[in-house]
Amino acid sequence: MSHDHSIDPKSMPKDPSKATTEGKHKFMGLWIFLGGETVLFACLFGTYLALRNSNAGGPTTQELYGLGLVFLMTVLLLTSSLTSVYAIYHMKNNDFKKMQLWMGITALLGIGFLACEIYEFAHYIHGYGFTFRSSAFGSSFYALVGFHGGHVAFGLSWIITLMVRNAKRGLDLYNAPKFNTFALYWHFIDVVWVFIFTVVYLMGMVS
Amino acid sequence: MTDEMSTRKINSFQKQKNKQEMQRMVVSFALMIIFTLIAFALVMLEVPSTYVIPIILLLAFVQVGFQFFYFMHLKDKGHEVPSQIIYGGVFITVMVALTFTVITWW
Amino acid sequence: MGMTSAQKRGFGATLWDWLTTVDHKKIGILYLAGGGFFFLLGGLEAVIIRIQLMSPENNFISAGLYNEMITMHGTTMIFLAAMPILLGLMNFIMPLQIGARDVAFPFLNSLGFWLFLFGGVLLNLSWFTGAPDAGWTNYAPLSIQSPGHGIDFYIMGLQLSGAGTLMGGINFIVTIVLMRAPGMTYMRMPLFTWTTFVASILILFAFPALTVGLFLMMFDRMFGSAFFDAALGGNAVIWQHLFWIFGHPEVYILILPVFGVFSEVFPTFAKKRLFGYTAMVFATFLIAFLGFMVWAHHMFTVGLGPVANSIFAVATMAIAVPTGIKIFNWLFTLWGGSIKINTAMLWSLAFIPSFTIGGMTGVMLASAVADYQYHDSYFVIGHFHYVIVGGTVFGILAGLHYWWPKMFGKYLHEGLGQISFWTFFVGFHLTFFIQHFLGLMGMPRRYWVFLENQGLDTGNLISSIGAFFMSFGVIVFLINIIYTTIKGKKAPRDAWGSGRTLEWTISSPPVHYNFKQLPLVRGLDPLWIEKTEGNEKMTPAEPVDEIHMPNGSILPLIMTIGFTIASYGFIYQTGNKYWLIAVYSGIAIALICMLTRSLKDDHGHHISKEELERVGD
Ligand code: HEM
Ligand SMILES: [Cu+2]
C-alpha cells in the first residue's frame, strides 16, 4: 500500500478524483448529500408555492420581478457551470494550472451572480418596502431564494479555500476528489437555480 | 515534482476521449442556453398561461436533465446508486410541490 | 490510537480517547450511553404524567408543567432516546456485518454523535427556564404563541441533533454501498444491514423536511417572518405538512432497524435460515416507499378534502401488506426450528403479537372517516405506543441482549433479563391496552385532568399501575448492566454458538480494526456456510498486510460546542442583542474548526504488519 498521494506519471489514473478509497467515498457521499438537498429545496419551493400570493397588500409577483436581471443571473450561473466542467476536464488531463484558471473563472462568475442577487434584494427592500417580514409571500420568497444564495456563498468560500490551499502543491490524489466534489455541488446549485427562475420568476410573471 | 507532472504527457487515447466528452458538454451547454432563451421569450411574449406554464416547466426539467446526465455524469457507469438517490429525491420533490399547491388551503 | 487495548492508561488519556474517537464501535457505545440516558429521562417524565393521570382532577403537577412534561416526553423519547440508541446499534454492528474496518466518514460520524448529544442537552437545559409546551408535534400557531423560550429550545435543540442524524444517515449509506467485504453482494447482506440501509435512506429524505420546518419556525419566532402568521397571509397548515412529511417516515426510521434486529435474532435462536429473505428485503423497500406517501393520515381532520383524505387513507392501509409479509416470514422462520428461549428471544417473541395489535389499530386509524372519532384521543396514544414500545423498544432490548456479548465481551445475566422482560411486558400491556378504550370512551389526549365518574377512573388507574411495572423492569435492566459489567460471564467470538453472520467471526469485543484480514464471503449467512462445511474460521480474502485507519480528532467536539453556543445566542438574542455576540463567536468557532479540517491534511495512520502478527486477531 502506498502512503503518498502524488500522481504517478507512468500510470495516470483515468479519473484522479476517484483513484483513492477516500476519493470514492467523497464522490458517493456528496451525491447522497445532494439527494437530501433535493428534499430541502423541495420543501422551500413548496412553501413558496403555497404562499406566493399571500402578499398582505404588498406588491404582487408581477409588480415586483424584473426579467432582465434574472436573465443575466441565469447566464452567469449557467456559464459558471460550464467553466467548472472545463476545470474538471483539465483535472482529468492532469493540467493543474488550467484547472485553477477555470475554477477561478467559475468563482468570479459566482461572485457576479451573488452581487446581482444582493442588488436585487436591496432593490426590493428599498424600492418596494418588500421585506422578509412584510408578508408571508415575502418570507417565503427570501427563504427560498436566500437559501439558494447562501449555497452559492458557501460554494464560493469552499472553492476559494481549495484553490488557495493547493495553489503551491498542485494536483494530487488527495486533493483531486475535493475539487471534483466541489464541481458536483456547484452544478447542483445551478440545477436549483433553473427551477427558481422557472417557478419563481417566470411563473410569477405569468400568473 | 508537481511542476514536471503538470507538463507531462498522458496517454493520448485517454486525452482524446476526454476531449470528445468535452465537446459534448459544450453542445449541451448551448442547448441549455437555448432552452433558457425560449422560456424567457415565451413569458415575455405573454403566451397564455395555460400553455406557457407546462412548457416552461418541461423546459426546466429537460435542462436539469442535461445538468445531471452530462455535466454531472449521471448517465455514466458507476453512477447507479447516485442516480437512484436523485430519482428518489425528484419523486419526493414532485409530491411535495403538488401537495403544497393543491392541499394546503382548505 | 494505534496501540493495543491491553495497556493500562490514566483517566485523562482514556477520556481524551473517547472525546476524540472516530472508531465506529466507540461512537456506537457513546450513542447507546447518550440515548440510554435520555431514555431514563423520558421515562421519568412518563411516570410523572401517569401519576398526574392516576386519579381524576389530580393536582400532582400544574397544568403548565403538564404541558411541558408531555412535550418533553415525546420529543425526548423519539429524537433523543429511540433514534440514537438505534444509531448506536447500527454504528457498532453494521460495519462488522459487512466486513468493514470502519465507516466511510469516521470524522463525520463523530461529529454526528456530538451534535446529537449537545442538541439533546441543549433541549433539556430548557427545564431551568421553562421547557417547550406545544406537544412533540409543535403545531403552529400554538407554538408561535407560546411565551418564553421553551419552543426556541425545541427548535435549536432539534436542529442540532437533526443535523447529526442526517450525517449519520449519509455515512451509513456510503458505507454500505462502498465498503462491503469481498463477496458480500447486496443480496448476501444480513437483514439488519439492509434495514440500516433503508432507514438511512429514509433519514436522508425525511430529515431535510424537518430542517426546513424548524428554520421557518425559527424565523417566525426569532426574526419576525410570517410563514405561520395568518394576519400577514401565513398558513399554519404548512407546518403540519412539513412536520409530517418528516414525521411519518420518522416512525419507519424507528421501526425498520428493529425489524432487522428480529430478523437476526430469530434465525440465530431457531437455528434456521431466515424464511423468505428476498421477500423481507423487498418488503423493507416497499414499506419505505409507501411510508413517504402517507403523511397526511395525521391530518385527516384538518380538512384537506375528501379526495386527498381517500388517497392517503388507501396508501396508509397498503402499508399493512408488506408489514404483514414480514410478520408471516418471522413466524415461518420459527416454524419447525430448534428454538432456544432466552431474553433476546423473549423480547422478539413478545414483539410479534404486540406490534401486530399496533398495526391493526393503525389500519383502523387509517380509515379517514373513523379517524374523526379517534383523532387526538387516547386511542391514538394506545396505537403508537403499541408500535413504538411494542416494536422499537422491544427490538432495542432484544438487540441489546443479543449483541451485548459482542459489544462488551460479556453476557447479560439471563435471570435478571427475564425478570425485567416479564415485568416490563406485563406493565406495557397494562398501561397501553386500556388506553384504546379510554380513547373510545372520549378521553382526549394531552389533557391535564379528567373528571370523576365519567367511566375513566379505573382505566387510568390501571394504566398508571402498568407504568410502575415498566419502571421496575427498566430498573432491573440497569442493575443487570451493572452486574454484568462487574461479574458477567465472558463471551467467546460466536457468543451464542449459532451465529450466522460476520460479526460472530471476530473477537468479543472486536479489536479496533475489526478484521485482521477481510473475510471472503461465499453466500448469505457466511459464518453458517463455513460451519456447515466444517470450517472453524472464515477464509481470508487478503494476506496479512498493514491496515490503514483514520486518526482521532477533537475537532468534531469543538465544532459542536461552537454550534451550541451559537444556538444559545439565537435563542436569547430576541430579548437582548448582546446575545448576538454568542451567535457570532459560536459560528466563528465552528468555522475555524471546519477550516482547520480543510487545510490540515489528515492521511490517517497505518497499523504495521508486525504489530498485527504480534497481536493475533
Ligand atoms: C400498519 C401500519 C400503521 C398504520 C396503518 C398507521 C396509521 C396511523 C394513523 C392513521 C395515525 C394518525 C392517527 C390520528 O392522529 O388520528 C397514526 C398515528 C401515529 N402512528 Fe401509526 N400507523 C402504523 C404504524 C406505525 C408505526 C410502525 C409507528 C412507529 C414505530 C407508528 C407511529 C405513530 C405515531 C407516533 C403516531 C401519532 C403521532 C401523533 O399524533 O403524535 N405508526 N398511525
Ligand atoms: Cu404516520
Side-chain angles (χ1 to χ4, degrees):
Chain A
M1 225 183 271
S2 153
H3 294 198
D4 92 278
H5 285 86
S6 53
I7 298 174
D8 178 4
K10 276 175 231 89
S11 60
M12 170 74 189
K14 209 163 105 206
D15 183 349
S17 71
K18 276 175 257 167
T20 62
T21 317
E22 290 80 12
K24 292 190 184 99
H25 290 181
K26 281 213 170 73
F27 161 78
M28 187 62 73
L30 190 98
W31 267 110
I32 309 289
F33 169 72
L34 292 184
E37 287 264 275
T38 312
V39 179
L40 187 105
F41 278 105
C43 293
L44 288 166
F45 270 106
T47 309
Y48 172 81
L49 285 172
L51 297 177
R52 68 192 153 147
N53 294 323
S54 308
N55 49 12
T60 63
T61 51
Q62 272 116 325
E63 289 159 10
L64 205 58
Y65 301 150
L67 289 187
L69 185 67
V70 175
F71 186 74
L72 175 65
M73 288 163 78
T74 305
V75 171
L76 286 175
L77 210 59
L78 277 183
T79 313
S80 82
S81 211
L82 181 74
T83 54
S84 71
V85 172
Y86 263 108
I88 298 301
Y89 166 68
H90 290 301
M91 179 180 89
K92 286 186 182 160
N93 287 341
N94 198 16
D95 187 341
F96 179 67
K97 289 222 176 76
K98 283 209 179 120
M99 181 189 86
Q100 285 278 81
L101 175 70
W102 284 104
M103 280 295 182
I105 296 175
T106 306
L108 285 179
L109 290 166
I111 292 172
F113 173 87
L114 213 53
C116 291
E117 186 151 275
I118 292 170
Y119 167 77
E120 185 201 359
F121 284 4
H123 180 63
Y124 290 162
I125 293 169
H126 299 303
Y128 294 87
F130 176 73
T131 70
F132 190 52
R133 296 175 183 181
S134 51
S135 66
F137 164 47
S139 304
S140 65
F141 170 82
Y142 286 108
L144 171 59
V145 183
F147 244 82
H148 176 265
H151 275 71
V152 174
F154 179 79
L156 283 173
S157 36
W158 184 1
I159 188 57
I160 291 170
T161 313
L162 274 184
M163 286 174 63
V164 172
R165 170 68 182 92
N166 295 301
K168 283 229 184 67
R169 70 170 160 188
L171 191 68
D172 61 28
L173 295 183
Y174 182 73
N175 59 29
K178 299 189 176 195
F179 283 105
N180 192 49
T181 41
F182 162 77
L184 284 174
Y185 175 85
W186 195 255
H187 292 311
F188 184 76
I189 291 179
D190 203 28
V191 165
V192 175
W193 180 256
V194 170
F195 280 107
I196 290 187
F197 84 66
T198 307
V199 172
V200 176
Y201 294 102
L202 292 184
M203 276 168 60
M205 292 309 277
V206 173
S207 52
Chain B
M1 70 173 292
T2 32
D3 282 329
E4 127 192 57
M5 241 169 46
S6 51
T7 48
R8 215 203 58 239
K9 294 236 182 324
I10 61 161
N11 180 327
S12 67
F13 169 69
Q14 207 170 298
K15 211 160 180 170
Q16 186 62 28
K17 270 188 80 172
N18 288 348
K19 198 162 182 177
Q20 279 170 0
E21 195 183 336
M22 197 59 230
Q23 281 161 355
R24 250 175 285 147
M25 298 287 187
V26 177
V27 173
S28 41
F29 174 73
L31 286 172
M32 280 154 68
I33 291 288
I34 292 173
F35 285 162
T36 307
L37 278 171
I38 297 176
F40 274 82
L42 286 177
V43 173
M44 302 234 235
L45 295 174
E46 295 182 10
V47 178
S49 68
T50 18
Y51 300 110
V52 76
I53 289 182
I55 294 175
I56 59 179
L57 279 176
L58 187 72
L59 288 174
F61 266 102
V62 176
Q63 193 176 137
V64 160
F66 277 116
Q67 279 275 0
F68 273 128
F69 290 115
Y70 286 91
F71 282 15
M72 299 169 84
H73 301 274
L74 211 53
K75 64 173 175 27
D76 294 2
K77 236 175 62 191
H79 289 67
E80 293 79 9
V81 174
S83 49
Q84 300 300 326
I85 292 282
I86 293 299
Y87 294 148
V90 170
F91 169 70
I92 294 168
T93 305
V94 171
M95 218 165 47
V96 168
L98 266 177
T99 310
F100 279 77
T101 30
V102 181
I103 55 168
T104 313
W105 293 105
W106 64 93
Chain C
M1 297 292 283
M3 299 285 129
T4 48
S5 53
Q7 292 162 301
K8 274 258 178 284
R9 275 178 305 186
F11 175 73
T14 312
L15 181 69
W16 180 256
D17 186 35
W18 282 91
L19 295 182
T20 58
T21 188
V22 292
D23 178 349
H24 72 95
K25 298 179 291 302
K26 286 190 173 151
I27 292 176
I29 291 172
L30 286 172
Y31 263 118
L32 293 179
F37 169 74
F38 287 119
F39 181 76
L40 296 180
L41 216 56
L44 189 68
E45 287 151 7
V47 171
I48 294 174
I49 295 171
R50 273 328 311 172
I51 294 177
Q52 168 63 24
L53 294 180
M54 196 151 63
S55 55
E57 294 187 80
N58 199 357
N59 220 339
F60 178 64
I61 53 174
S62 70
L65 187 57
Y66 181 82
N67 286 348
E68 296 178 11
M69 212 53 83
I70 54 152
T71 303
M72 288 298 280
H73 165 69
T75 314
T76 303
M77 284 304 198
I78 300 239
F79 291 98
L80 308 178
M83 233 183 15
I85 293 178
L86 291 174
L87 287 176
L89 283 177
M90 294 170 176
N91 238 315
F92 200 110
I93 301 299
M94 179 273 287
L96 304 183
Q97 285 197 328
I98 60 172
R101 295 203 170 100
D102 208 321
V103 288
F105 304 109
F107 182 90
L108 214 59
N109 202 13
S110 122
L111 181 60
F113 165 74
W114 293 112
L115 282 171
F116 140 67
L117 186 71
F118 278 71
V121 170
L122 180 74
L123 180 58
N124 276 281
L125 284 177
S126 68
W127 278 117
F128 295 109
T129 51
D133 56 359
W136 83 282
T137 51
N138 202 43
Y139 274 12
L142 181 61
S143 48
I144 299 294
Q145 304 294 330
S146 168
H149 285 298
I151 306 292
D152 303 331
F153 276 97
Y154 173 99
I155 294 168
M156 300 314 296
L158 290 192
Q159 198 66 287
L160 284 184
S161 69
T165 306
L166 193 55
M167 289 174 193
I170 294 176
N171 199 354
F172 291 149
I173 297 176
V174 179
T175 305
I176 294 173
V177 171
L178 293 180
M179 296 178 73
R180 285 166 286 126
M184 177 64 82
T185 57
Y186 280 112
M187 288 314 273
R188 289 176 181 175
M189 294 194 317
L191 257 158
F192 182 67
T193 299
W194 264 119
T195 54
T196 299
F197 185 60
V198 176
S200 301
I201 295 175
L202 287 179
I203 290 178
L204 176 73
F205 289 141
F207 269 74
L210 178 70
T211 308
V212 171
L214 290 172
F215 265 124
L216 305 189
M217 181 69 72
M218 174 180 172
F219 294 152
D220 263 20
R221 280 189 59 100
M222 301 181 196
F223 300 106
S225 61
F227 294 102
F228 309 122
D229 179 359
L232 289 174
N235 184 343
V237 179
I238 289 176
W239 169 265
Q240 293 195 25
H241 273 304
L242 289 175
F243 188 86
W244 289 118
I245 288 172
F246 149 77
H248 189 83
E250 165 69 13
V251 307
Y252 284 97
I253 295 166
L254 293 176
I255 201 67
L256 287 180
V258 302
F259 282 179
V261 173
F262 298 126
S263 305
E264 305 291 319
V265 172
F266 285 135
T268 303
F269 296 116
K271 292 205 175 164
K272 254 181 84 194
R273 183 190 152 138
L274 182 71
F275 188 91
Y277 172 87
T278 319
M280 285 299 230
V281 174
F282 184 69
T284 309
F285 271 100
L286 201 58
I287 291 176
F289 175 69
L290 289 173
F292 260 104
M293 306 200 294
V294 300
W295 75 87
H297 66 214
H298 297 273
M299 301 165 66
F300 281 151
T301 57
V302 165
L304 304 176
V307 178
N309 272 6
S310 313
I311 293 173
F312 280 99
V314 171
T316 304
M317 292 178 195
I319 297 200
V321 177
T323 316
I325 292 177
K326 287 195 167 250
I327 299 277
F328 281 110
N329 278 338
W330 288 315
L331 292 176
F332 289 139
T333 305
L334 292 169
W335 187 274
S338 63
I339 294 175
K340 182 170 135 200
I341 303 272
N342 57 19
T343 316
M345 195 63 167
L346 280 174
W347 286 113
S348 309
L349 290 171
F351 149 83
I352 293 185
S354 311
F355 184 81
T356 306
I357 295 174
M360 268 155 43
T361 54
V363 178
M364 289 170 71
L365 290 166
S367 164
V369 263
D371 188 59
Y372 274 79
Q373 177 67 29
Y374 308 137
H375 182 65
D376 267 353
S377 78
Y378 257 79
F379 190 85
V380 176
I381 308 288
H383 157 68
F384 71 71
H385 283 90
Y386 262 78
V387 279
I388 294 186
V389 181
T392 307
V393 176
F394 282 19
I396 286 171
L397 285 159
L400 286 176
H401 282 85
Y402 179 62
W403 280 309
W404 200 274
K406 180 53 59 192
M407 295 191 288
F408 300 100
K410 291 173 177 176
Y411 293 98
L412 283 169
H413 188 269
E414 199 40 52
L416 287 172
Q418 301 210 0
I419 296 175
S420 78
F421 166 75
W422 283 110
T423 44
F424 193 95
F425 178 70
V426 171
F428 160 70
H429 285 282
L430 271 182
T431 307
F432 296 112
F433 194 70
I434 196 87
Q435 291 187 354
H436 295 106
F437 298 97
L438 289 172
L440 293 179
M441 286 188 285
M443 181 167 160
R445 68 189 283 200
R446 291 176 174 161
Y447 274 33
W448 171 50
V449 286
F450 59 93
L451 297 181
E452 217 169 338
N453 295 327
Q454 296 193 329
L456 306 175
D457 309 16
T458 323
N460 274 298
L461 182 63
I462 293 174
S463 185
S464 297
I465 293 172
F468 292 118
F469 273 82
M470 289 165 80
S471 316
F472 182 81
V474 172
I475 292 169
V476 175
F477 180 60
L478 289 181
I479 295 173
N480 195 354
I481 291 177
I482 298 169
Y483 174 85
T484 303
T485 311
I486 301 168
K487 285 190 137 163
K489 196 167 115 242
K490 282 216 160 40
R493 288 159 188 266
D494 185 6
W496 304 108
S498 51
R500 314 174 73 87
T501 40
L502 286 180
E503 74 268 31
W504 304 112
T505 66
I506 54 177
S507 56
S508 305
V511 288
H512 83 275
Y513 45 84
N514 298 352
F515 297 89
K516 183 166 151 189
Q517 293 165 284
L518 293 184
L520 180 68
V521 176
R522 297 195 290 146
L524 180 63
D525 293 342
L527 177 59
W528 193 258
I529 291 179
E530 303 295 332
K531 282 178 185 171
T532 53
E533 296 183 4
N535 302 331
E536 306 241 305
K537 283 186 166 184
M538 299 297 299
T539 321
E542 57 178 14
V544 178
D545 201 350
E546 61 172 19
I547 293 174
H548 177 242
M549 295 298 286
N551 288 336
S553 169
I554 192 71
L555 288 177
L557 176 57
I558 302 180
M559 208 186 285
T560 307
I561 292 175
F563 282 127
T564 311
I565 294 174
S567 304
Y568 238 98
F570 274 121
I571 293 173
Y572 284 108
Q573 51 79 33
T574 49
N576 183 341
K577 291 296 159 199
Y578 280 118
W579 277 96
L580 283 174
I581 299 173
V583 174
Y584 294 131
S585 46
I587 290 178
I589 294 173
L591 282 180
I592 290 171
C593 290
M594 281 183 216
L595 209 63
T596 316
R597 171 72 183 164
S598 162
L599 295 184
K600 210 171 131 276
D601 289 358
D602 179 4
H603 295 288
H605 64 273
H606 291 263
I607 302 168
S608 69
K609 204 168 151 181
E610 294 70 43
E611 192 185 331
L612 286 173
E613 267 156 5
R614 201 177 59 234
V615 180
D617 51 356

